[in-house]
Amino acid sequence: MPELPEVETTLRGLATYLDGQKIARVETRREGLRRPFPADLVQVMTGATITALSRRAKYGLLHTDRGVVMVFHLGMSGRWRIDPDALEKHDHLVLTTEAGARLALNDARRFGSVDLVADEALAAWATFAAMGPEPLGPELTPALLAARMKGRLSPVKQLLLDQAVVAGLGNIYVCEALHRAGISPLRQGQNVKKRELALLVPAIVDVLSESIAAGGSTIRDYAQPNGELGYFAANWRVYGREGEPCHACAAPIARVAQGGRSSFWCPACQK
């Protein structure tokens, strides 16, 4: 699944072709993705100018001069294709700008989504209202994490994946950040000390920032809008490395199932 760095990379790629551009044509090539496309999507977006592109958690936002934001989620396998030579079976939404750029939202599994939300309603939109702070923003602090983990018996790994605790963190980057901070994914949230959280917050920021700089992590179907692959997977310290030596201490990386997901960690380094 594309995670926060992949969505951020996608938006930066789209900005080159969409920022400040007018949408000349909108084509929906099926009824929707995980749920139907908004009934007025074609009407609202045709002729609209994209005034800005931004991100909230794992959602991409295309802001328009009509006071409406097109919010998209890439689901499990979604990606935007820029100026494809030909449209493919799974190109389900196509935007064409007045400048002639054609952008196709491709989603083979159709777990993604597209919504229209009024500018003034974004913060109160149910999906966003329930979310915690952005991990790359100033709101994420050791003190905030300490408050949200106080009295929590759930493992710290599960709490970090809870979008109400921190918005946008996914399995890969939580595994990597916990390793950098030396915290076991099995520890109860309430037992993680403030001094450890002081290491965890910058670890989260660093691992996300490094992945964005590398173009994200390519897993299965993900690619950047220009078709290039993300290369941060080469820098994974624990994720997907079960049985391989830890880069820090050479002990074998372990894997454990938590909440239906695999947690990768070094039992020697992470306590």
Side-chain angles (χ1 to χ4, degrees), residues 124-188:
W125 189 44
T127 301
F128 290 167
M131 288 182 176
E134 286 289 318
L136 293 176
E139 297 86 3
L140 182 63
T141 64
L144 181 141
L145 279 185
R148 298 200 170 188
M149 293 190 181
K150 184 177 181 180
R152 301 293 294 272
L153 301 179
S154 298
V156 59
K157 164 82 180 302
Q158 297 302 104
L159 291 174
L160 291 173
L161 290 176
D162 183 345
Q163 299 299 291
V165 175
V166 184
L169 289 184
N171 197 37
I172 295 172
Y173 300 104
V174 171
C175 287
E176 292 293 310
L178 286 172
H179 179 262
R180 294 186 182 205
I183 301 170
S184 166
L186 307 178
R187 292 261 301 277
Q188 290 181 342

Side-chain angles (χ1 to χ4, degrees), residues 27-109:
E27 179 185 0
T28 55
R29 305 181 74 232
R30 64 173 304 113
E31 71 280 1
L33 301 176
R34 185 174 65 215
R35 54 181 176 269
F37 289 128
D40 56 348
L41 177 63
V42 173
Q43 178 183 355
V44 169
M45 293 300 294
T46 302
T49 296
I50 305 300
T51 57
L53 294 87
S54 65
R55 178 191 52 74
R56 178 68 168 118
K58 301 176 188 178
Y59 288 80
L61 284 69
L62 305 183
H63 302 260
T64 74
D65 62 347
R66 295 181 172 177
V68 176
V69 182
M70 191 183 103
V71 182
F72 67 86
H73 192 284
L74 296 175
M76 295 290 292
S77 61
R79 63 191 179 99
W80 285 93
R81 302 199 310 132
I82 295 177
D83 288 333
D85 293 332
L87 294 178
E88 298 178 352
K89 174 182 178 181
H90 299 298
D91 290 332
H92 302 310
L93 172 66
V94 183
L95 307 180
T96 304
T97 69
E98 279 195 346
R102 185 165 67 166
L103 302 99
L105 178 57
N106 184 287
D107 189 352
R109 300 186 187 183

